[in-house]
């Protein structure tokens, strides 16, 4: 995964001095020893790489990665990815509550949420939304916890409900979900961040955790 981590970024090229690939390797190896239950899981390279670009420090990136994986997003990067799978189901339940027409469309065409939002969750919107917007989301993620991911996802879906509902088949739905992460709505990061706290309405951690309990059981029952 090292060579596939931000290959277009000059700081990750092997010709760079210093080359951040080396620092990224050090962080991921150190984390694997630090948290043997997780070790290394795909997606962690992008998170750690992004943290390196921001902090320019192996140690700071390591501890921020530890906070994300150990405290804010538990079981997202474990071998079974139970937390990740659970939260994708939670998003589906929240969409039923807050944007029911989209939930009905997904159900009618048999589109599982994991097919359209898995990269949103596992990469925390890296390479999905513009850099400036992702950095603002991460600020809130560290400050307020994982419910921010749901706020961002719900805002994208709610703002583009009409566009999504134009879809008439499975591939079309997948294409619409790619389209809603582009354009001026997501590049205007200040306005976008204001929207994520207003558009989805009330969303407490108590609500999220209650849904997690139910969805976790569902995921476990599916094997």
């Amino acid at each position: 995964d090292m060579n596939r981590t931000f290959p277009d970024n000059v700081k990750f090229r092997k010709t760079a001095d210093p080359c951040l690939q080396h620092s990224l390797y050090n962080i991921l190896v150190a984390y694997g020893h630090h948290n043997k239950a997780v070790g290394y899981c795909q997606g962690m390279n992008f998170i750690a790489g992004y943290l390196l670009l921001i902090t320019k420090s192996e140690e700071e990136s390591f501890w921020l990665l530890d906070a994300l994986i150990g405290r804010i997003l538990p079981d997202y990067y474990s071998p079974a990815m139970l937390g990740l799978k659970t939260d994708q189901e939670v998003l589906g339940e929240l969409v039923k509550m807050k944007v029911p027409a989209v939930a009905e469309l997904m159900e009618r065409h048999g589109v599982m949420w994991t097919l359209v939002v898995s990269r949103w969750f596992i990469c925390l919107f890296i390479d999905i939304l513009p850099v400036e917007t992702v950095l603002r989301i991460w600020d809130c993620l560290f400050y307020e916890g994982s419910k921010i991911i749901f706020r961002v996802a719900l805002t994208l879906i709610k703002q583009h409900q009409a566009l999504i509902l134009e879809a008439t088949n499975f591939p079309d739905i997948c294409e619409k979900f790619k389209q809603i992460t582009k354009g001026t709505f997501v590049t205007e990061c200040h306005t976008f961040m204001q929207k994520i706290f207003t558009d989805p309405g009330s969303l407490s951690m108590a609500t999220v955790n209650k849904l997690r309990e139910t969805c976790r059981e569902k995921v476990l029952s599916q094997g």
Side-chain angles (χ1 to χ4, degrees):
D1 286 345
M2 301 298 296
N3 293 328
R4 294 193 291 119
T5 307
F6 307 129
D8 297 327
N9 189 296
V10 292
K11 295 182 182 296
F12 278 90
R13 288 178 188 162
K14 289 182 178 176
T15 52
D17 185 22
C19 173
L20 288 187
Q21 270 198 22
H22 304 308
S23 294
L24 177 60
Y25 176 81
N26 292 339
I27 293 166
L28 295 174
V29 169
Y31 193 79
H33 288 293
H34 172 70
N35 187 346
K36 289 183 169 60
V38 172
Y40 173 74
C41 177
Q42 268 194 330
M44 284 170 58
N45 54 315
F46 292 107
I47 306 297
Y50 221 62
L51 289 169
L52 257 178
L53 287 169
I54 298 162
T55 65
K56 300 177 176 63
S57 162
E58 287 184 21
E59 186 175 354
E60 287 178 21
S61 297
F62 172 86
W63 289 115
L64 288 169
L65 182 69
D66 186 49
L68 277 171
I69 294 174
R71 177 170 53 84
I72 299 171
L73 306 170
D75 286 337
Y76 264 48
Y77 303 96
S78 62
M81 291 184 159
L82 182 57
L84 178 73
K85 292 172 184 174
T86 298
D87 277 4
Q88 289 172 167
E89 292 292 330
V90 170
L91 177 62
E93 293 302 314
L94 288 169
V95 173
K96 280 182 190 175
M97 294 160 55
K98 296 176 180 291
V99 204
V102 171
E104 194 276 328
L105 175 77
M106 298 283 283
E107 198 168 318
R108 190 166 72 247
H109 291 283
V111 183
M112 294 185 296
W113 282 101
T114 186
L115 294 173
V116 291
V117 301
S118 61
R119 286 189 67 232
W120 296 7
F121 282 80
I122 201 165
C123 293
L124 303 179
F125 300 101
I126 295 171
D127 285 347
I128 304 293
L129 297 176
V131 173
E132 295 85 351
T133 306
V134 174
L135 293 177
R136 294 289 297 276
I137 291 167
W138 280 29
D139 278 345
C140 295
L141 183 61
F142 277 106
Y143 188 72
E144 294 208 14
S146 56
K147 67 179 180 182
I148 293 300
I149 300 175
F150 298 112
R151 284 198 168 278
V152 173
L154 286 168
T155 301
L156 287 169
I157 293 165
K158 196 166 186 179
Q159 277 285 324
H160 299 92
Q161 179 177 190
L163 176 70
I164 295 168
L165 292 176
E166 290 174 4
T168 56
N169 54 47
F170 183 100
D172 205 14
I173 291 172
C174 296
E175 183 57 35
K176 298 294 184 194
F177 270 84
K178 288 179 184 176
Q179 290 176 24
I180 69 174
T181 59
K182 315 291 182 191
T184 56
F185 180 64
V186 294
T187 55
E188 297 289 340
C189 61
H190 300 295
T191 307
F192 181 81
M193 293 309 291
Q194 289 174 336
K195 288 283 188 184
I196 74 167
F197 289 103
T198 55
D199 275 21
S202 174
L203 181 61
S204 67
M205 276 310 298
T207 300
V208 170
N209 288 333
K210 191 173 180 180
L211 287 170
R212 276 176 171 160
E213 285 179 27
T214 309
C215 292
R216 187 183 178 92
E217 288 176 13
K218 181 182 173 183
V219 169
L220 286 170
S221 69
Q222 291 170 345

